């Protein structure tokens, strides 16, 4: 096992997916995972419903707030808000390729403007005392391969950034949808390994296409951390192995125990106006690979959105899995 104190395991920022309810469940499965929020734009925090975007349950900690933006003053202001609300780290998104994001000048298109990013990150660092990190791609469009990546990384390192989360594929900003941009550009783990060899003093975290704890262990032999998005979302139970397999801790709870522990949370959240399916939609894959998984998923999908649906719908779904077993 890699030295448990010297590496990080992170869940990825996932728009519409890694919301506070999802993160609450993920935290039940692993104490050691560092969780990331969905991206929140500086505009949404400065002009929008700040509380809706920032509110979370302290049980989720440690959790990093991911920001999207490029204006240094606004980034600093939003980083400060994140620290005041109790987040553990502030991360800047330089990897997201959607059109909407390009027009606002944030996300992956910022990889073409390393100096502007460095100015933003320096302003964020100056505003907070918690860590400031950056998530980016290995390149965009026709940026020449490794040289473009190192130019970007060096500029941020000079601004004092020590942690880089690298999604190991390029973003092609013209012609591919965000979804295609997570699947079509080839994964180039070797470039990220090379980055770590060339900049051993920087903390390099690998993201993209990692699907199992064994793969995490393999990458952690050469890198400082791994970040997983789609795999833990689709198979949350994967997180139950993180503490024991990567950190020398206790195994996480069983899926049935997770359901039991979610019930009081659901009661509390529904008491404050949350809808059952806003929480249970993140639980559909919990029993993935177990007999009865499909009945669990189907019962929730068909019933959790109905008016008046409450925790008993989840209890019934659990009973269906237990009958199948
Ligand atoms: C539904 C969805 C939403 C995403 N939203 C964000 C986001 O808000 N910020 C971000 O940096 N990346 C976002 N990503 C990209 C992921 O963080 C991650 O980089 C990508 O999925 C590759 O990792 P994976 O193969 O482990 O899923 C999103 C990905 C998905 C599937």
């Amino acid at each position: 096992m890699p030295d448990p104190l010297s590496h990080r395991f992170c869940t990825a920022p996932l728009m519409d997916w890694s919301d506070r309810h999802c993160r609450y469940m993920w935290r039940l499965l692993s104490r050691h995972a560092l969780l990331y929020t969905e991206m929140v734009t500086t505009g949404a925090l400065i002009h929008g419903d700040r509380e809706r975007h920032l509110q979370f349950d302290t049980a989720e900690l440690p959790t990093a707030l991911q920001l999207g933006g490029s204006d240094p003053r606004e980034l600093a202001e939003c980083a400060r808000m994140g620290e005041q609300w109790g987040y553990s780290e502030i991360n800047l998104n330089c990897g997201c390729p959607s059109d909407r994001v390009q027009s606002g000048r944030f996300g992956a298109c910022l990889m073409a403007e390393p100096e502007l990013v460095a100015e933003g990150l320096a302003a964020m660092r100056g505003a907070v005392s918690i860590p400031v990190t950056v998530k980016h791609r290995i390149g965009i469009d026709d940026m020449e391969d490794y040289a473009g990546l190192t130019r970007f990384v060096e500029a941020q390192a000079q601004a004092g950034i020590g942690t880089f989360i690298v999604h190991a594929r390029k973003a092609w900003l013209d012609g591919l949808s965000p979804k295609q941009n997570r699947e079509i550009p080839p994964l180039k783990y070797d470039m990220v390994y090379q980055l770590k060899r060339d900049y051993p003093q920087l903390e390099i975290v690998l993201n993209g296409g990692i699907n199992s704890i064994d793969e995490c262990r393999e990458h952690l032999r050469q890198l400082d951390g791994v970040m997983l998005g789609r795999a833990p979302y689709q198979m949350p139970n994967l997180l139950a192995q993180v503490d024991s397999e990567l950190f020398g801790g206790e195994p996480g709870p069983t899926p049935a125990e997770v359901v039991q522990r979610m019930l009081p949370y659901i009661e509390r959240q529904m008491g404050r106006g949350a809808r059952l399916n806003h929480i249970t939609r993140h639980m559909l894959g919990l029993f993935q690979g177990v007999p009865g998984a499909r009945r669990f998923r189907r019962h929730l999908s068909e019933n959790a959105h109905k008016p008046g649906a409450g925790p008993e719908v989840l209890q019934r779904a659990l009973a269906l899995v237990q009958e199948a077993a």
Side-chain angles (χ1 to χ4, degrees), residues 34-51:
L34 174 60
L35 310 180
Y36 282 68
T37 66
E38 313 163 83
M39 176 183 74
V40 189
T41 64
T42 50
L45 288 185
I46 293 170
H47 309 293
D49 183 347
R50 189 172 301 172
E51 181 158 330

Side-chain angles (χ1 to χ4, degrees), residues 12-15 17 38-39 66 93 135 167 182 207-210 227-230:
L14 299 165
M15 194 75 95
W17 289 7
E38 313 163 83
M39 176 183 74
Q66 188 188 57
N93 180 351
K135 177 170 182 278
H167 184 176
R182 293 192 287 266
N207 169 242
I210 307 173
M227 170 180 273
L228 280 68
R230 287 165 290 188

Side-chain angles (χ1 to χ4, degrees), residues 92-137:
L92 180 64
N93 180 351
C94 295
C96 173
S98 90
D99 278 349
R100 191 166 60 82
V101 169
Q102 275 181 69
S103 59
R105 235 163 136 236
F106 47 79
C109 64
L110 288 177
M111 286 200 73
E113 300 188 70
E115 290 75 26
L116 177 64
V117 174
E119 213 188 308
L121 287 167
M124 291 161 72
R125 283 192 72 228
V128 298
S129 54
I130 52 178
V132 174
T133 64
V134 59
K135 177 170 182 278
H136 57 94
R137 299 268 182 148

Side-chain angles (χ1 to χ4, degrees), residues 154-220:
E154 279 182 22
Q156 312 325 319
Q158 269 173 21
I161 297 302
T163 302
F164 294 78
I165 302 167
V166 193
H167 184 176
R169 47 164 70 90
K170 272 187 159 185
W172 295 338
L173 300 181
D174 252 344
L176 291 190
S177 71
K179 183 164 187 294
Q180 289 172 318
N181 255 312
R182 293 192 287 266
E183 288 159 6
I184 293 176
L187 282 163
K188 296 191 177 171
Y189 293 144
D190 282 348
M191 268 174 79
V192 185
Y193 285 178
Q194 186 65 43
L195 195 64
K196 179 63 193 176
R197 281 196 293 273
D198 290 343
Y199 300 90
Q201 74 284 10
L202 299 180
E203 186 179 31
I204 306 290
V205 177
L206 177 71
N207 169 242
I210 307 173
N211 282 316
S212 70
I213 297 292
D214 282 345
E215 287 171 40
C216 293
R217 207 183 278 114
E218 198 53 37
H219 292 305
L220 289 171

